[in-house]
Amino acid sequence: ETGVTQTPRHLVMGMTNKKSLKCEQHLGHNAMYWYKQSAKKPLELMFVYNFKEQTENNSVPSRFSPECPNSSHLFLHLHTLQPEDSALYLCASSHSGLAGPYEQYFGPGTRLTVT
Amino acid sequence: QQPVQSPQAVILREGEDAVINCSSSKALYSVHWYRQKHGEAPVFLMILLKGGEQKGHDKISASFNEKKQQSSLYLTASQLSYSGTYFCGTPKGSFGGYQKVTFGTGTKLQVIP
């Protein structure tokens, strides 16, 4: 596998379910990001992890819980979601350091539908 | 606050040129440009660092005027493969570290034969 991978690619879940999204990067990057992309809305940054430490939480509801066990893996744990949470969830990664700024590499996304 | 892009959508015939603008209400240190094709992930095009600097990517180039807090993306002699949604992104803060990027609303570009 190369680049940034995400699983699953599609997910349908009920409002009372608990599920997790997984992201893996094979690029040797130190920063990883979760974005939400809704129809007719810009990409919204949700979380940033830099060297496994969460550095940004963009006022995201607590029903979204990120986890970054190492620099290559990022998870987004979902529970008791609302229908308005239906969206494309994109993971990205980048280098991190003083020689930046650096471009971000995006995964293909997980299309989430909350019923 | 997110940058504002214009136009929101544009349709071109192959070979025509287009300009996409990105404006910010905040001071800019750099501007990122990405393209997202339908059903695919956004793909990096370029980062502009200095005021007035132009960078190129094939027949796609961009300029950055930090005084005006604006960037423009120029697509020359458009090809069918240029179709997609173009996003500008404005990072918070200056260089280095990770990039907390705020993306614009996007410009949907369609190139037709």
Side-chain angles (χ1 to χ4, degrees):
Chain A
E1 291 274 15
T2 58
V4 181
T5 58
Q6 290 186 244
T7 54
R9 294 294 308 277
H10 301 272
L11 178 62
V12 179
M13 59 186 288
M15 292 167 61
T16 57
N17 291 159
K18 289 185 181 180
K19 296 286 184 183
S20 296
L21 309 184
K22 180 183 176 182
C23 174
E24 185 173 359
Q25 58 96 0
H26 308 266
L27 300 167
H29 291 160
N30 290 310
M32 296 188 77
Y33 312 77
W34 278 118
Y35 287 90
K36 177 183 179 182
Q37 188 174 36
S38 306
K40 298 183 180 179
K41 278 190 171 183
L43 281 162
E44 299 174 64
L45 180 66
M46 300 175 72
F47 301 103
V48 181
Y49 277 82
N50 192 36
F51 290 90
K52 300 187 297 178
E53 298 296 322
Q54 185 178 320
T55 53
E56 299 286 343
N57 177 337
N58 217 21
S59 303
V60 180
S62 60
R63 57 185 183 270
F64 294 91
S65 175
E67 179 190 1
C68 187
N70 54 61
S71 293
S72 299
H73 294 86
L74 186 64
F75 295 88
L76 188 62
H77 304 299
L78 316 170
H79 65 96
T80 59
L81 294 190
Q82 305 297 312
E84 60 264 28
D85 296 323
S86 298
L88 180 68
Y89 288 85
L90 290 160
C91 172
S93 70
S94 74
H95 287 298
S96 176
L98 294 175
Y102 298 102
E103 64 269 30
Q104 295 183 19
Y105 292 79
F106 286 83
T110 295
R111 175 68 63 185
L112 174 67
T113 303
V114 181
T115 61
Chain B
Q1 194 168 1
Q2 70 196 53
V4 176
Q5 288 185 235
S6 62
Q8 289 186 324
V10 59
I11 299 176
L12 299 174
R13 292 199 177 276
E14 270 188 293
E16 290 183 337
D17 302 339
V19 180
I20 299 172
N21 298 304
C22 173
S23 297
S24 173
S25 59
K26 296 184 177 181
L28 297 177
Y29 297 96
S30 65
V31 176
H32 298 214
W33 284 98
Y34 289 79
R35 176 174 64 205
Q36 184 177 26
K37 299 197 175 187
H38 183 68
E40 298 181 11
V43 173
F44 170 77
L45 292 176
M46 65 189 77
I47 292 175
L48 299 149
L49 298 179
K50 297 178 182 178
E53 179 176 341
Q54 293 203 7
K55 300 197 77 175
H57 181 274
D58 290 336
K59 292 183 180 177
I60 300 175
S61 62
S63 63
F64 177 28
N65 187 323
E66 49 182 80
K67 285 184 180 178
K68 291 186 178 180
Q69 296 168 189
Q70 291 178 346
S71 178
S72 294
L73 190 71
Y74 306 95
L75 297 99
T76 306
S78 58
Q79 306 167 16
L80 295 175
S81 61
Y82 287 1
S83 293
T85 301
Y86 289 78
F87 295 97
C88 68
T90 54
K92 175 181 176 182
S94 59
F95 313 129
Y98 62 91
Q99 293 287 283
K100 182 180 177 181
V101 178
T102 302
F103 285 94
T105 49
T107 295
K108 188 172 182 179
L109 183 116
Q110 183 182 1
V111 181
I112 57 176

